[in-house]
Amino acid sequence: MVAIESVLAHDDERDIIGTVIGSANPSEFRLAVRPGRLAVQDFVALESDEGQTVWARIVEIERINPLFPTEAAQELAFQGLDAYDTVAALSRELVTAKCRVLGVEDDDRLKPLEYPVRPASAAWRPDPEKAAELLAGRIPEHRRLHLGQLRAHPEVPVFIDGQAVVARHLAVLAATGAGKSVAVRRVVEQLAGVGRGYPMVIIDPHGDYFGLSEIWPDRVDRYVASLDLATEEPESVIDLIAGLSGEDPTGPQTDFLTGLVWLARRDDQQERLNALSEEKGGTRLPSVKTDVLTWMVQAGRKVQALQVLSAPKSWRGYTQASTPTRQSSGRLSASSGRLQERSSGWRT
Amino acid sequence: MVGTDTSAAEEIRRYPGLLARLSLSAMEEAEHLREGYVAGALHAADQLRDQLRDTGLFDEIHQLPDGAGPRLTACFVDGGVGQVEMLGTHPVLVRAALFRIAEGERDLARRETFAFFPVILGDLTSGEKRLPTYVTTVRAIAELGALLRSFHDHRFADVELLMLHGPLLLPLLGPIGPHWFSRADLVRMLNDDAWAAEVVEDLYSAIPVTFHHKGGLRAVAVISELVKRSVAASRNAGSILCGVVERERSTEVVHVYRKRLPVDVRTFDLPDELFTGLVLREGEYLEPFRPLVRYKPFKSKKLSGFEKTLPGVLVTWLKTGPHGLPVRVEFPDSLTSEEIVTMLRKVREYSSLLPNYAFPLGLDVADKMAKVPKWMSSAYRDAIGHELSVLLAQQSADPAELVRLLCFTSTNRSVMARPGVA
């Protein structure tokens, strides 16, 4: 009896919002949920057979009214009637949510789930603080870059590891309008924010980061460049950037910029892309690889803007890169002299 | 009274479903009679409405007013049977359902109410389980019990129209005579609570001893009493009660109007739904008449007189839409003519939402709710299977006993019990 009361008390503390139905596998399962209680991207938690907490994220929600025949729906439309004015049953919807397993909690980390969750398991809404803790993982506080909050739970902050971003590579891939630019802008803000101030060069052909100079008017030097990389020597470009930041690029940075200019200088690159584009009927090429190449060529052939974030004196870095020692003044030092300074506004 | 704007043959040409049903009816005739059945029926149908006008039957066909009736709070009642597949198909569960709905109400919590009343057949010990009508009888009592309960449940206090999926009186006319139920079983069928116990006590007092059997009550008397009490309760509550039946195979209408029908129509022995399907147009209904009570035991000296104590019920046939065949509607004879028109308008209005099925949507909802879901049937199957397996594992029963056990719990003959050939 004591055990039963204990279980009930345990369940009372949990906000039970669904039950596992159908077939489950280690990466996905489906919940029958209480209508209106969950949204896509919400987190749910369940108990594994071993008593550990399984975390999952809702990726899809379906609602169906099994008591509302299609024939009746068509007739309502035909007669111009509102279902509420008829005897159609509207309160017995079946709402199910497809959940993708994030992992099973083990020593404050999520590990892959190796065995499906038990059918008929109860799912509950996890504690937001716990969710935040798991989302931050074991990232030390000083390395956390605050990306934002969970859409469904504004009280849960989302972090990524700054060291991983800076010391290695980061690609942000998503559909148009999904928020890639906003996410990258947030990373930039965090990296350049107070107490961090990591120096950056942003090659920004679309002007996505134009507003940074409004946020940090004294720390962002904005230039509108008219620089044809196709005719520029790689060394000139590197010198130009070095002149902007006052620092020598690191080896990998030099390699990247050299490669960029090399790509832009190859006349056949653009011709090849044009040919590919014509093959596709003149439409935008769909593959990621081609898009990247397109971007590189476009960005390289006609760089329209360079934004340089200057480094504050109290810089705390993430990488082995050397610490900048002076603040950029906005002075141009490009050897070609074709880079033109603009103090404000945008010139096309 | 209605006019004869289009011929029956034209109607058939417009709605092939009727022709298909006529063809099916022909298949039920002896082979030598099939030839010419459809052609003959079509020919008869072509002239039927004109001929009927001469017989005066048209005076007894009425047209409902166009448009929807007033907004009501309605309650729909139906029952379902859950079956398990285990060495054959066995019914294990009957479930009655109530679906109350307030038309026009936008607050879902106030708009709709559902209630369920399950009866586990294995819990019942009386009655004649060997007969195939056993489950039908239990289902009828469970449905009527749910219907009567709605008058005593505050959640259904605002109901203005009660619609039962099934007849009010017809169960009494079927072969349910052999069935009887003990006091405990009757309480179980009425949902096994204090209210049910009280109702069963009342039934024992009200039903004549002629209908007491082995300490229990005969089903025919129980059903009759439950209908009478529901009718009285509906009158007290000021609500309208009716039963709506589709796929009715009776030949009552032709029998009632037999002497006034043309000879060739009588020859075809058309079932009521086909006959009324040929005669009625959308929105038309027959003048209500008293159903025929053809239950043979009532003719016996022992039960004579009981027939007169049956609830007063009238019957009509209504063609709810252009596509489907008419439905049979039963209602208490105490309804006023305005109430009858209101009720039939609502039957038609609710059916207009299912034009192909031509049956009230609310009853379709109740039917789906009453239906025993597969997972529940499967759970019973697994539970029974587990129990049998344990018996076998404990060697407390040999396979022959298990088969007998299955046959005992089932209401139909099991194929396993069929005698083999040595």
Side-chain angles (χ1 to χ4, degrees):
Chain A
M1 192 63 182
V2 173
I4 291 173
E5 283 172 356
S6 164
V7 169
L8 289 175
H10 187 52
D11 281 346
D12 280 348
E13 292 165 10
R14 292 171 173 174
D15 183 13
I16 303 288
I17 38 83
T19 309
V20 177
I21 56 169
S23 68
N25 63 51
S27 58
E28 277 184 355
F29 60 87
R30 193 167 273 278
L31 285 180
V33 298
R34 286 162 66 182
R37 292 295 307 279
L38 288 172
V40 170
Q41 303 293 344
D42 270 359
F43 289 104
V44 293
L46 303 90
E47 196 166 279
S48 72
D49 289 341
E50 289 74 33
Q52 295 169 300
T53 302
V54 176
W55 285 71
R57 185 169 56 88
I58 293 178
V59 293
E60 189 180 293
I61 294 181
E62 278 185 2
R63 56 192 291 195
I64 182 173
N65 182 348
L67 299 178
F68 188 53
T70 307
E71 187 181 354
Q74 288 171 337
E75 201 57 28
L76 286 175
F78 184 74
Q79 295 185 30
L81 291 174
D82 185 342
Y84 281 95
D85 294 329
T86 70
V87 291
L90 303 176
S91 65
R92 288 288 173 131
E93 287 186 355
L94 178 63
V95 185
T96 61
K98 185 177 172 184
C99 304
R100 190 153 295 147
V101 175
L102 298 174
V104 59
E105 196 179 323
D106 184 18
D107 193 20
D108 286 338
R109 300 187 76 170
L110 289 180
K111 291 188 172 179
L113 184 66
E114 294 174 344
Y115 198 73
V117 294
R118 190 176 58 251
S121 296
W124 66 88
R125 196 191 292 275
D127 177 16
E129 285 182 16
K130 187 70 182 173
E133 193 180 313
L134 276 173
L135 285 174
R138 287 182 167 174
I139 307 171
E141 196 162 345
H142 71 278
R143 279 174 25 194
R144 290 179 183 179
L145 299 184
H146 181 212
L147 272 191
Q149 293 80 34
L150 286 182
R151 190 166 54 189
H153 292 283
E155 70 276 20
V156 178
V158 178
F159 300 100
I160 57 173
D161 188 344
Q163 179 170 353
V165 168
V166 176
R168 304 183 69 94
H169 307 290
L170 172 69
V172 182
L173 306 174
T176 303
K180 297 182 294 293
S181 299
V182 173
V184 171
R185 185 176 178 134
R186 184 71 185 161
V187 171
V188 168
E189 287 174 6
Q190 288 285 297
L191 283 174
V194 176
R196 292 193 174 118
Y198 197 76
M200 278 168 278
V201 173
I202 303 173
I203 300 172
D204 182 16
H206 299 301
D208 289 337
Y209 305 96
F210 192 69
L212 283 175
S213 61
E214 308 297 326
I215 300 172
W216 296 309
D218 57 336
R219 292 173 50 210
V220 175
D221 293 328
R222 186 174 65 242
Y223 300 97
V224 177
S226 176
L227 181 64
D228 189 353
L229 292 182
T231 59
E232 205 65 52
E233 290 298 325
E235 294 77 15
S236 301
V237 177
I238 294 164
D239 287 347
L240 166 67
I241 293 170
L244 291 171
S245 65
E247 289 297 316
D248 291 333
T250 61
Q253 287 170 341
T254 302
D255 291 345
F256 171 78
L257 290 168
T258 304
L260 181 70
V261 176
W262 178 80
L263 271 174
R265 288 171 64 84
R266 285 189 58 187
D267 293 337
D268 63 319
Q269 286 292 336
Q270 187 59 55
E271 287 170 13
R272 193 161 65 88
L273 286 169
N274 289 342
L276 279 171
S277 181
E278 281 173 16
E279 279 178 23
K280 301 288 181 183
T283 56
R284 181 182 162 86
L285 296 172
S287 79
V288 172
K289 184 179 178 186
T290 308
D291 280 352
V292 170
L293 282 173
T294 303
W295 177 84
M296 291 175 75
V297 171
Q298 286 173 349
R301 278 192 177 278
K302 197 78 174 175
V303 174
Q304 293 178 317
L306 290 177
Q307 294 199 8
V308 180
L309 301 184
S310 59
K313 290 169 184 170
S314 57
W315 179 79
R316 190 167 66 192
Y318 297 105
T319 70
Q320 305 85 345
S322 58
T323 304
T325 55
R326 69 179 176 83
Q327 191 166 354
S328 171
S329 63
R331 175 180 53 81
L332 299 183
S333 61
S335 58
S336 67
R338 281 173 294 210
L339 198 62
Q340 301 165 7
E341 180 183 7
R342 287 199 65 202
S343 58
S344 64
W346 178 265
R347 192 172 68 189
T348 56
Chain B
M1 225 182 329
V2 295
T4 57
D5 46 348
T6 56
S7 71
E10 283 175 13
E11 284 289 302
I12 291 170
R13 276 192 289 274
R14 284 171 61 194
Y15 306 116
L18 195 60
L19 183 60
R21 183 69 189 80
L22 202 58
S23 305
L24 282 174
S25 186
M27 298 303 289
E28 293 169 1
E29 297 294 324
E31 193 171 347
H32 69 282
L33 295 176
R34 282 182 202 163
E35 193 176 347
Y37 181 95
V38 174
L42 282 175
H43 176 72
D46 200 23
Q47 301 178 23
L48 188 59
R49 279 174 71 98
D50 285 340
Q51 289 175 322
L52 290 176
R53 184 172 50 191
D54 298 335
T55 66
L57 186 59
F58 260 32
D59 294 340
E60 298 179 31
I61 296 176
H62 308 281
Q63 173 72 49
L64 286 173
D66 286 335
R71 280 183 181 172
L72 297 176
T73 298
C75 181
F76 302 91
V77 187
D78 198 7
V81 178
Q83 297 182 318
V84 297
E85 294 285 339
M86 181 180 277
L87 302 175
T89 302
H90 310 289
V92 290
L93 186 70
V94 166
R95 200 160 79 140
L98 294 176
F99 165 47
R100 171 204 154 277
I101 183 160
E103 291 178 60
E105 174 61 60
R106 305 191 83 80
D107 180 350
L108 289 180
R110 288 200 302 236
R111 173 185 164 83
E112 298 166 22
T113 309
F114 294 88
F116 305 95
F117 305 98
V119 181
I120 300 171
L121 293 172
D123 286 348
L124 305 179
T125 55
S126 52
E128 301 295 332
K129 288 193 174 185
R130 63 192 165 80
L131 297 177
T133 51
Y134 177 78
V135 177
T136 307
T137 309
V138 173
R139 176 177 167 167
I141 292 175
E143 286 176 355
L144 290 171
L147 174 65
L148 184 58
R149 183 182 287 270
S150 72
F151 295 106
H152 301 271
D153 187 329
H154 67 91
R155 295 175 299 167
F156 298 89
D158 60 347
V159 170
E160 298 162 286
L161 172 65
L162 279 122
M163 206 175 278
L164 175 70
H165 188 176
L168 291 179
L169 193 61
L170 204 67
L172 299 173
L173 311 181
I176 63 171
H179 294 293
W180 61 276
F181 294 102
S182 68
R183 187 187 301 264
D185 281 356
L186 286 169
V187 171
R188 287 191 189 102
M189 282 189 270
L190 299 184
N191 208 34
D192 206 2
D193 58 5
W195 177 85
E198 192 180 326
V199 170
V200 172
E201 284 307 314
D202 283 350
L203 290 177
Y204 267 85
S205 308
I207 292 175
V209 289
T210 321
F211 288 89
H212 289 223
H213 183 70
K214 296 181 181 176
L217 296 174
R218 288 204 177 274
V220 66
V222 171
I223 291 175
S224 173
E225 271 299 315
L226 289 175
V227 172
K228 280 196 280 189
R229 283 158 193 255
S230 296
V231 170
S234 70
R235 292 291 74 192
N236 286 338
S239 55
I240 301 171
L241 172 65
C242 67
V244 183
V245 193
E246 89 276 38
R247 297 193 293 271
E248 172 58 45
R249 301 287 299 140
S250 65
T251 54
E252 205 170 34
V253 177
V254 174
H255 189 86
V256 167
Y257 293 104
R258 189 170 193 82
K259 291 179 182 173
R260 293 153 66 182
L261 290 176
V263 173
D264 49 356
V265 174
R266 275 183 273 164
T267 307
F268 288 114
D269 195 23
L270 292 169
D272 287 346
E273 63 174 2
L274 261 185
F275 176 77
T276 53
L278 293 171
V279 170
L280 299 175
R281 302 291 184 267
E282 182 181 358
E284 291 180 359
Y285 65 98
L286 283 180
E287 173 74 16
F289 58 89
R290 289 201 178 276
L292 298 175
V293 178
R294 289 183 286 191
Y295 181 48
K296 283 182 184 172
F298 289 163
K299 306 297 178 192
S300 72
K301 194 177 286 183
K302 190 178 176 185
L303 302 182
S304 64
F306 182 72
E307 191 176 336
K308 292 172 186 167
T309 69
L310 291 175
V313 167
L314 293 175
V315 173
T316 187
W317 284 80
L318 166 68
K319 189 160 169 64
T320 57
H323 298 297
L325 291 171
V327 294
R328 176 191 170 105
V329 184
E330 295 191 8
F331 50 92
D333 58 6
S334 52
L335 291 190
T336 65
S337 54
E338 289 78 17
E339 286 175 323
I340 294 171
V341 171
T342 299
M343 172 199 68
L344 293 176
R345 284 182 79 179
K346 298 310 279 186
V347 172
R348 183 189 179 195
E349 180 190 329
Y350 299 157
S351 301
S352 74
L353 295 171
L354 297 175
N356 292 322
Y357 193 33
F359 196 66
L361 174 62
L363 286 178
D364 180 62
V365 173
D367 179 64
K368 285 176 177 158
M369 294 306 293
K371 187 179 179 189
V372 179
K374 193 178 177 186
W375 62 265
M376 197 184 284
S377 302
S378 301
Y380 275 102
R381 181 198 61 205
D382 293 346
I384 293 170
H386 176 262
E387 199 65 29
L388 293 175
S389 304
V390 169
L391 284 175
L392 194 59
Q394 291 173 342
Q395 296 184 332
S396 57
D398 63 27
E401 285 177 351
L402 292 177
V403 171
R404 274 200 291 277
L405 180 61
L406 273 178
C407 294
F408 177 75
T409 55
S410 69
T411 55
N412 296 323
R413 292 183 183 281
S414 168
V415 67
M416 293 295 288
R418 240 176 127 174
V421 178

